[in-house]
Amino acid sequence: MIIVMARGASDADIAAVVEKIRSAGLAEHVSRGTERTIIGAVGDERTLTADMFEPMPGVERALRVVKEYRIVSREVHPGNTVVTVRGVPIGGKAIQVIAGPCSVETPEQMLASARAVREAGCRLLRGGAFKPRSSPYSFQGLGVEGLDYLQQASRAEGLPIVTELMDVRLLDTFLEYDVDVIQIGTRNMQNFDLLKEVGRINKPVILKRGLSATVNEWLMAAEYIAAGGNHNIIFCERGVRGFETAYRNMLDVTAIPVLKRETHLPVIVDPSHAGGKAWLVPALAKAAIAAGADGLLVEMHPNPCEAWCDADQALNPDELATLMRELAPLAEALGRTL
Ligand code: PEP
Ligand code: MN
């Protein structure tokens, strides 16, 4: 059983619900989000009914959830959740495109990237300061220095930043640098300790799909974050590992409507890591939007030939601007804006 408290429910209302759960012999799991609190009753639910909770002050709804994920489930929250990042809504009518280089390289490269991203009409900037590389001998990212360049570029162009966190020990540093959106990468989708830690803060989190994770595993990974009280989660499909070698990963377009049905949280798509080639990005981006994605995460470099990481898949500034122009009528046809 899950008890969804109304916005503005008081501590006393919450305590009364907890008391009722305990007196029925079950334990509570309280997830305090910034907007609302959700209380799970853990144990043998057969003794509980929705009628026991719904008339109580501060309770919006009580429901039995049979799925393993609850807070992220659409059953608990039928409307779409909009995650707002420094005033930019993700998950509403507007499609948001997050763009920028794979990795942060120099202050000049980040400033040029941020300018191109803003000029193309995108409203969020990406860039990796900590890079999960398959080879230990590849460039691993600039680390904290990269956060500094990212922040400078963000300030210069007024764009919120998205960057990947790989290590729980760096969470406080990410907060000090005021990272706007924390990206949990593919390789860490099931790093449960990392998920629990980002669950304790209320910064928005982009949760990328694991290399071969099922939709159910992905939803449960998000539930780890939500259970800690952070309900600001954005799913990001980035292609899964398949048998095909002609491109980097197989973009699972089917996952988009499946996820939109299962969860109220926003779903975005990374066409760059899916295709692995810049020329594939526009087609995959359009397919994603047509299938109902709420946004895109696109790699763009001011000079792709010189990119230190993922050069093949980076759009150049002109290609990003063209993509944005091509997406606008598609968004409109779908009843959305760009
Ligand atoms: C990235 O977005 O920079 C990245 C490393 O992506 P993924 O985790 O999807 O491989
Ligand atoms: Mn990359």
Side-chain angles (χ1 to χ4, degrees):
M1 174 80 56
I2 191 147
I3 297 101
V4 181
M5 303 302 290
R7 276 168 218 253
S10 68
D11 285 347
D13 297 341
I14 293 167
V17 169
V18 167
E19 193 39 49
K20 184 160 265 184
I21 293 171
R22 288 186 187 168
S23 63
L26 287 86
E28 76 283 357
H29 178 278
V30 180
S31 170
R32 281 179 191 265
T34 41
E35 298 217 342
R36 61 176 77 234
T37 295
I38 296 177
I39 306 172
V42 187
D44 182 1
E45 290 192 4
R46 281 172 301 182
T47 52
L48 302 184
T49 63
D51 296 352
M52 291 167 66
F53 297 97
E54 283 184 341
M56 294 178 74
V59 172
E60 189 175 289
R61 282 183 324 132
L63 61 161
R64 226 176 258 289
V65 182
V66 284
K67 295 187 170 135
E68 286 164 292
Y69 45 91
R70 303 165 184 218
I71 304 168
V72 305
S73 160
R74 212 180 255 287
E75 276 178 57
V76 167
H77 189 291
N80 288 333
T81 287
V82 178
V83 174
T84 306
V85 183
R86 269 212 268 152
V88 179
I90 304 179
K93 191 175 175 198
I95 288 163
Q96 300 297 349
V97 181
I98 305 163
C102 179
S103 65
V104 179
E105 299 167 3
T106 63
E108 297 72 31
Q109 170 248 15
M110 273 323 299
L111 286 170
S113 299
R115 192 176 332 110
V117 165
R118 185 185 49 74
E119 283 174 0
C122 306
R123 294 166 74 194
L124 296 110
L125 177 68
R126 65 150 285 153
F130 296 86
K131 296 303 305 173
R133 303 304 300 278
S134 300
S135 165
Y137 306 117
S138 303
F139 173 57
Q140 305 285 308
L142 294 179
V144 177
E145 192 186 347
L147 295 181
D148 191 26
Y149 302 162
L150 199 50
Q151 201 188 46
Q152 287 175 27
S154 152
R155 290 208 179 118
E157 299 296 334
L159 297 167
I161 49 177
V162 176
T163 195
E164 177 167 354
L165 175 71
M166 298 202 295
D167 186 332
V168 280
R169 291 169 298 185
L170 282 155
L171 183 55
D172 286 342
T173 309
F174 271 51
L175 297 178
E176 267 165 46
Y177 278 84
D178 207 19
V179 167
D180 297 290
V181 181
I182 295 178
Q183 178 173 318
I184 300 294
T186 294
R187 292 151 193 86
N188 276 314
M189 189 203 84
Q190 284 187 317
N191 180 339
F192 298 117
D193 287 335
L194 187 57
L195 300 178
K196 284 181 194 164
E197 286 303 309
V198 295
R200 294 194 307 111
I201 57 171
N202 51 34
K203 289 268 178 196
V205 175
I206 289 182
L207 181 64
K208 292 191 117 186
R209 184 180 187 173
L211 281 177
S212 49
T214 64
V215 169
N216 199 50
E217 287 165 340
W218 194 9
L219 286 157
M220 285 195 287
E223 188 77 15
Y224 263 92
I225 303 173
N230 187 353
H231 303 168
N232 298 310
I233 306 162
I234 300 157
F235 288 87
C236 181
E237 161 65 35
R238 45 80 74 201
V240 289
R241 179 157 286 181
F243 53 83
E244 185 51 75
T245 54
Y247 37 87
R248 191 169 179 180
N249 289 292
M250 298 215 269
L251 179 65
D252 183 5
V253 176
T254 316
I256 304 164
V258 170
L259 219 49
K260 292 295 295 181
R261 187 182 157 106
E262 287 300 315
T263 178
H264 51 92
L265 295 165
V267 178
I268 65 168
V269 168
D270 171 351
S272 309
H273 289 87
K277 300 277 176 220
W279 69 268
L280 276 169
V281 169
L284 302 185
K286 289 169 200 166
I289 299 302
D294 297 301
L296 299 168
L297 181 67
V298 179
E299 287 191 346
M300 190 275 324
H301 192 283
N303 189 357
C305 301
E306 285 177 15
W308 297 2
C309 181
D310 284 349
D312 283 1
Q313 67 195 36
L315 300 183
N316 66 32
D318 285 346
E319 289 166 338
L320 180 66
T322 304
L323 175 62
M324 290 298 281
R325 275 196 298 278
E326 289 175 359
L327 288 175
L330 179 58
E332 200 187 326
L334 293 163
R336 306 191 74 162
T337 58
L338 188 69

